[in-house]
Amino acid sequence: MSTTTTRPPTSFTPILVAGAALLLLWGGSFALSYVHLGGAALPVALVIAVLKALIVFLLFMELAAERASIKVTLVAALALGAIMIGFMVADVVTRDQPPLLAPATR
Amino acid sequence: MSTVTHAEEHFESLERQAHAGRLGMWVFLASEVLLFGALFGLYATLRAHEPAVFESTIHENAKVPGSINTAILLTSSVLAACGVRAVRADRLRLAGLFVGGTMLLGLGFLFVKGFEWSKHIAKGITPGHASEAWTLYYVMTGLHALHVIAGLAVLSFVVHGLLRGTITEPRSHRIEIAVLYWHFVDVIWIFLWPLFYLA
């Protein structure tokens, strides 16, 4: 059975480039927080956060070079977490108002 | 310096041992995803229920210290990743400097966090005596700070291993596994920052 996999290189350059990208995204998030984006502010901030998380996962944690077993472990946890959060939010935003109001006191 | 290149006897190769170690850490991190996922779910439901309360909390929160802390953690992750590469290149002294720098930045994060919390507490904003948004802020950032402390403990074992020669180029998976945890702590903060300080 083959046990050989290609380990990531030892060069610092990709790490430093990724680090510069992370700090650029950090600056972008900080600057945008002073711009009035209304309802788009939170989605925009979260999209930038996802980009930063992808850089950390794929390059720093080397998920891109890992075997399928490790990728499946993370994807399963993220999917289960997303399902849980999705149902929690769906419950709150679709909950009906109480059908009866308290009777007025005389 | 140790030049051990063989695996423990219950592994057929050092590479399989390294993979098993990394898989074990990823399974642990998956459980952490679910722990923080529950809290992010709680955040989403409370914010969906009372958006104005969360907006005022974010407006009052310490944006600059929180943002400085984000830059600190991102930089610490860069140093930690460089530490892994340095071990793989058999530059153990340089790796020690990178890991030491990571730990210093982690301590800096905790210092800024303490400063931030003390400012809130001085204003009377304490858990249970302010809005649900503030209570959740203390719970989530407090749990994250505990993870930073745990990460510092893990990294101190790495420094110890580098000094004793038990972490070397053939056994670079030991630093890889430890640093995975630190990066995960960074990823959690990447999401806490916009949710409690920016938008």
Side-chain angles (χ1 to χ4, degrees):
Chain A
M1 184 187 303
S2 171
T3 58
T4 56
T5 52
T6 305
R7 293 303 302 154
T10 56
S11 168
F12 295 113
T13 309
I15 299 298
L16 296 177
V17 171
L22 280 175
L23 290 176
L24 271 176
L25 288 169
W26 167 79
S29 290
F30 186 68
L32 280 174
S33 72
Y34 288 99
V35 179
H36 182 69
L37 296 175
L42 184 59
V44 167
L46 287 178
V47 166
I48 296 175
V50 168
L51 290 175
K52 283 186 288 202
L54 280 175
I55 290 174
V56 175
F57 273 131
L58 295 176
L59 298 174
F60 290 0
M61 300 172 88
E62 299 179 334
L63 199 60
E66 278 294 1
R67 296 184 192 180
S69 56
I70 287 178
K71 290 175 182 165
V72 167
T73 302
L74 179 67
V75 170
L78 290 175
L80 290 172
I83 290 168
M84 177 174 64
I85 293 171
F87 277 123
M88 287 171 79
V89 174
D91 173 43
V92 171
V93 299
T94 61
R95 197 176 289 171
D96 288 335
Q97 292 296 317
L100 295 174
L101 295 174
T105 53
R106 297 181 183 227
Chain B
M1 183 194 305
S2 170
T3 55
V4 176
T5 56
H6 60 272
E8 301 291 341
E9 61 186 36
H10 47 283
F11 288 103
E12 65 183 52
S13 70
L14 195 56
E15 188 183 342
R16 278 192 174 273
Q17 181 179 335
H19 175 68
R22 288 200 305 276
L23 180 60
M25 177 52 85
W26 275 105
V27 169
F28 173 69
L29 295 182
S31 74
E32 292 273 50
V33 166
L34 295 178
L35 168 67
F36 278 99
L39 290 170
F40 282 120
L42 185 60
Y43 177 98
T45 53
L46 288 175
R47 184 160 180 164
H49 193 59
E50 293 187 273
V53 173
F54 275 79
E55 281 162 22
S56 73
T57 300
I58 290 163
H59 185 70
E60 283 180 55
N61 206 349
K63 184 191 286 188
V64 172
S67 302
I68 289 170
N69 258 351
T70 307
I72 286 174
L73 270 196
L74 292 175
T75 308
S76 77
S77 261
V78 173
L79 293 187
C82 286
V84 171
R85 303 255 167 155
V87 171
R88 285 183 191 148
D90 209 16
R91 298 167 71 182
L92 302 184
R93 189 178 172 81
L94 184 61
L97 290 174
F98 280 132
V99 177
T102 305
M103 292 181 71
L104 277 178
L105 289 172
L107 288 171
F109 176 91
L110 292 174
F111 177 79
V112 174
K113 179 59 60 192
F115 167 76
E116 184 186 309
W117 275 25
S118 64
K119 275 187 73 175
H120 292 321
I121 290 167
K123 284 193 220 167
I125 302 170
T126 55
H129 295 91
S131 68
E132 289 168 338
W134 278 114
T135 301
L136 195 57
Y137 157 82
Y138 278 112
V139 169
M140 292 184 78
T141 60
L143 184 64
H144 178 268
L146 288 177
H147 279 72
V148 172
I149 292 167
L152 288 172
V154 170
L155 290 179
S156 70
F157 281 108
V158 171
V159 171
H160 186 248
L162 286 168
L163 290 173
R164 284 193 59 201
T166 55
I167 294 179
T168 54
E169 185 273 325
R171 291 183 177 273
S172 62
H173 62 278
R174 289 182 171 175
I175 186 173
E176 289 171 10
I177 292 165
V179 162
L180 278 177
Y181 184 78
W182 188 261
H183 290 314
F184 180 78
V185 171
D186 185 20
V187 168
I188 294 298
W189 184 259
I190 283 173
F191 288 97
L192 290 177
W193 180 48
L195 292 178
F196 283 109
Y197 298 86
L198 297 185

